[in-house]
Amino acid sequence: MNSIILAVSQTITADSALAAANGAWMLVAASFVFLMTPAVALFYGGMCRSKSILNMFMLCTGAMIVVAVLWPLWGYSLAYGTSDIAGIFNSPFENFLLSSLIKSENGVWTAIAGEDPSAYASTIDVAFQVTFAMITVALICGAIAERVKISTWLIFVGFWLTIVYCPLAHMVWGGGILSDAQNSITSLIFGGTTDSNGEWIANVVPHDFAGGTVVHLNAGIAALVTVLLIGQRKGFGKEPMRPHNLPFVMIGAFLLWFGWFGFNAGSAFAADGVAGYAWISTTAATGAAALGWLITERIRDQKFTSLGAASGIVAGLVAITPAADVVSPGFALVLGAIAGVVCCLAVGLKYKFGYDDSLDVVGVHFVGGLIGTVLVGFFAADTGLVYGAGPNQLFAQLIVVIVAVLYSGILTTIIVFFLNKTIGWRITEDEEVSGIDYANHGETAYEFSATTVLDR
Amino acid sequence: MKLITAIIQPHRLEVVKNELQNAGISGMTITDVKGYGRQKGHKEVYRGAQYVVDFIPKIKIEVVCDDINAPQITDVIVQSAHTGKIGDGKVWVTTVNDLVRVRTGEHGAIAI
């Protein structure tokens, strides 16, 4: 018979109940966001040609497993902690292997209790945040589909997480130069006050609720500079390179929407009214974006496509990400509609400018993230331009955009360039034409006909 | 003996097959193929970009028959596959030097 034994010092207080309730939700949210990376693999994989789907899955898997290993080593510590360095990153030594965060108690590892008894355990935060790092890295894969060596990608993930993602997360969310800290850019420009507890209250705070900048703008600009450096697929712009499995693309989009409930509603860090509201605004903006995309497509190409529906869904989810808690339902719809229409038009730019953003990471994540982040400056409750609060919030948003684009763009360029000059990115042209799955992995995804079985 | 090879529109397969069965043929082989004749160079727009698509999916039917039946079977195929639009396909007749039934080892017209 099982019996539940309470530790001697454990009692149920209002604080511990609150911590447990919020913590339970955050663990669920972390799991939802985790699912988003496999969902992205499905979404992108279906958009590739059939000879490349396994490679796309492997790129996404590579993102997950490398981040999973580096996060407890130094990833979390670089992004979060109390040892800020120049407002850019946190000391990787503070929580190397989570040393300052956890302790062993009766032979079991658990979080060291924080000062606030109503706060859920810090280990839950580490869990939630690693899933954001995974999806951010995985987003880049879509741009480099069908043509890169898996070994180079795995090494890139390690460098990019360490040098780009973690510092940018620190800058925006971890108390760095793009946050509400006293040494942040917006605090230096717009000033603030110190309250009775000695806490800094900034006058203007850049707002990125769930990762419009840290995740989408970041991955989007990284994808853009990467494809500019590594070049186009053979036949890009001339041969039709169409999705081989649209059902996968749609399933991927739906699972992304599902997972995004953890991404956005979980960024409320509590199971409360704000989380519930973020859930709703996310869904509303996504619906509006999908309709906006489909209608634009119908006007331009005379067809409502399933790929357009899936892409519109993702564009809306991306755009509402920085804004889900601060835009009214009406403005969520407007924001979504704008994202749907603009991103639909933006995905065609790659042909005009000649960059092979294979699966439209730039057109959806960079453009969508940009739209959402900037529109916060217009539509945010109390601080937005349309509420008569003046342009300060918009300036703050633009500052974040500019710094993030420069930081991610320049450092990603350096990493990609360095890897290109040392081990190289591209598989050979023959390998690319006959199929990257067999070249990189010695496998084929589908064995549908009688004759293919003979070959393996 | 003659081999009759026909390239037809995929959606006509059911009709052609039924008409051939009514005409008394004892077997056929079908294959998924791609090809073009005067349908080449047709443009498609997808995701805001224009593509030129050369190869169109078709079905190839192969039937072996006696010399005497070849003209009639050719007509059956042509009439049942016809829609009047570009892309209806083509039929050609070639001579078969030998035919063997694998199960019994019989050679010649007896194996049809």
Side-chain angles (χ1 to χ4, degrees):
Chain A
M1 185 181 124
N2 296 332
S3 55
I4 301 168
I5 299 168
L6 290 177
V8 171
S9 58
Q10 187 179 4
T11 51
I12 299 178
T13 62
D15 278 342
S16 71
L18 189 61
N22 290 336
W25 161 234
M26 291 306 294
L27 278 170
V28 172
S31 309
F32 272 43
V33 179
F34 176 81
L35 189 63
M36 287 170 67
T37 303
V40 132
L42 269 170
F43 179 75
Y44 284 159
M47 283 172 75
C48 292
R49 292 172 287 183
S50 63
K51 58 185 180 179
S52 324
I53 182 171
L54 284 179
N55 181 250
M56 181 51 60
F57 271 85
M58 285 296 284
L59 293 176
C60 292
T61 304
M64 289 163 68
I65 59 184
V66 174
V67 171
V69 165
L70 295 182
W71 193 252
L73 281 171
W74 59 70
Y76 179 79
S77 191
L78 267 176
Y80 300 103
T82 56
S83 318
D84 171 85
I85 296 173
I88 308 282
F89 60 97
N90 193 65
S91 164
F93 303 111
E94 178 183 350
N95 264 312
F96 184 79
L97 286 170
L98 306 180
S99 50
S100 308
L101 208 90
I102 54 176
K103 62 176 183 191
S104 66
E105 208 170 64
N106 302 322
V108 172
W109 289 97
T110 183
I112 296 171
E115 289 160 10
D116 181 358
S118 69
Y120 55 81
S122 57
T123 40
I124 298 177
D125 246 350
V126 179
F128 185 64
Q129 293 298 343
V130 74
T131 61
F132 277 69
M134 286 177 179
I135 184 75
T136 308
V137 180
L139 289 176
I140 303 172
C141 312
I144 58 175
E146 306 190 322
R147 61 196 186 280
V148 303
K149 296 195 278 201
I150 187 78
S151 49
T152 312
W153 168 252
L154 291 172
I155 298 171
F156 171 83
V157 172
F159 279 121
W160 198 82
L161 174 77
T162 306
I163 300 173
V164 183
Y165 177 80
C166 292
L168 196 58
H170 178 74
M171 287 184 236
V172 179
W173 291 331
I177 58 172
L178 298 174
S179 71
D180 59 353
Q182 195 164 1
N183 65 342
S184 71
I185 296 176
T186 44
S187 287
L188 292 171
I189 294 176
F190 297 106
T193 53
T194 314
D195 73 3
S196 48
N197 294 328
E199 302 272 322
W200 175 258
I201 313 284
N203 287 337
V204 179
V205 179
H207 192 77
D208 183 4
F209 177 58
T213 297
V214 178
V215 176
H216 300 288
L217 209 56
N218 188 11
I221 189 70
L224 180 59
V225 303
T226 305
V227 301
L228 287 171
L229 283 167
I230 70 171
Q232 304 170 350
R233 285 169 294 176
K234 182 167 186 344
F236 173 72
K238 301 178 210 80
E239 290 161 33
M241 293 176 175
R242 297 171 53 132
H244 85 286
N245 194 332
L246 286 164
F248 270 16
V249 178
M250 298 226 74
I251 291 171
F254 294 142
L255 289 175
L256 278 170
W257 193 342
F258 175 82
W260 227 288
F261 293 135
F263 200 88
N264 283 2
S267 292
F269 298 108
D272 64 1
V274 175
Y277 183 72
W279 201 113
I280 299 169
S281 67
T282 295
T283 298
T286 302
L291 284 169
W293 187 300
L294 285 171
I295 292 170
T296 308
E297 238 184 4
R298 178 70 173 85
I299 295 172
R300 185 187 60 190
D301 305 332
Q302 289 79 53
K303 285 271 189 289
F304 300 110
T305 65
S306 60
L307 182 60
S311 305
I313 286 171
V314 176
L317 289 165
V318 170
I320 192 69
T321 295
D325 61 336
V326 294
V327 294
S328 69
F331 285 133
L333 292 173
V334 169
L335 186 152
I338 292 174
V341 172
V342 174
C343 290
C344 178
L345 298 169
V347 299
L349 289 175
K350 64 187 184 193
Y351 297 113
K352 292 204 171 62
F353 292 125
Y355 62 89
D356 186 2
D357 171 21
S358 311
L359 308 180
D360 299 319
V361 177
V362 179
V364 173
H365 292 274
F366 179 77
V367 174
L370 184 65
I371 290 172
T373 302
V374 171
L375 286 180
V376 167
F378 287 90
F379 297 149
D382 297 345
T383 58
L385 203 64
V386 304
Y387 286 88
N392 288 349
Q393 186 67 47
L394 182 57
F395 286 150
Q397 301 303 105
L398 291 171
I399 289 167
V400 170
V401 167
I402 291 166
V403 175
V405 166
L406 286 174
Y407 185 81
S408 177
I410 292 171
L411 287 173
T412 307
T413 300
I414 293 171
I415 299 170
V416 173
F417 183 80
F418 166 72
L419 287 172
N420 211 14
K421 287 295 171 209
T422 50
I423 54 179
W425 276 94
R426 300 289 295 265
I427 58 176
T428 68
E429 201 175 86
D430 283 347
E431 288 173 323
E432 207 180 293
V433 170
S434 58
I436 190 171
D437 285 355
Y438 198 60
N440 258 354
H441 312 293
E443 295 173 303
T444 51
Y446 305 105
E447 302 284 343
F448 281 149
S449 72
T451 55
T452 59
V453 173
L454 298 172
D455 298 335
R456 310 277 175 259
Chain B
M1 293 171 291
K2 294 282 189 264
L3 170 67
I4 303 177
T5 308
I7 307 288
I8 63 165
Q9 298 265 33
H11 64 88
R12 299 303 294 170
L13 175 62
E14 209 48 34
V15 176
V16 171
K17 181 198 76 168
N18 289 335
E19 291 305 312
L20 280 173
Q21 282 170 349
N22 293 340
I25 55 131
S26 45
M28 69 172 79
T29 301
I30 63 169
T31 328
D32 283 298
V33 296
K34 287 192 177 56
Y36 68 84
R38 289 192 289 175
Q39 242 179 327
K40 180 187 171 168
H42 108 132
K43 284 197 179 58
E44 271 181 24
V45 179
Y46 193 58
R47 211 116 152 120
Q50 267 209 344
Y51 298 109
V52 170
V53 180
D54 283 337
F55 295 112
I56 320 273
K58 301 282 178 206
I59 296 220
K60 177 162 77 169
I61 305 179
E62 287 167 287
V63 178
V64 178
C65 63
D66 279 316
D67 289 356
I68 251 189
N69 296 330
Q72 182 220 355
I73 301 218
T74 305
D75 280 342
V76 166
I77 296 177
V78 171
Q79 274 150 36
S80 54
H82 174 88
T83 66
K85 302 198 193 99
I86 283 182
D88 269 356
K90 289 200 185 359
V91 184
W92 59 89
V93 183
T94 46
T95 305
V96 176
N97 292 336
D98 193 11
L99 180 67
V100 185
R101 177 170 287 114
V102 173
R103 179 173 57 88
T104 59
E106 292 158 299
H107 280 256
I110 207 175
I112 288 175

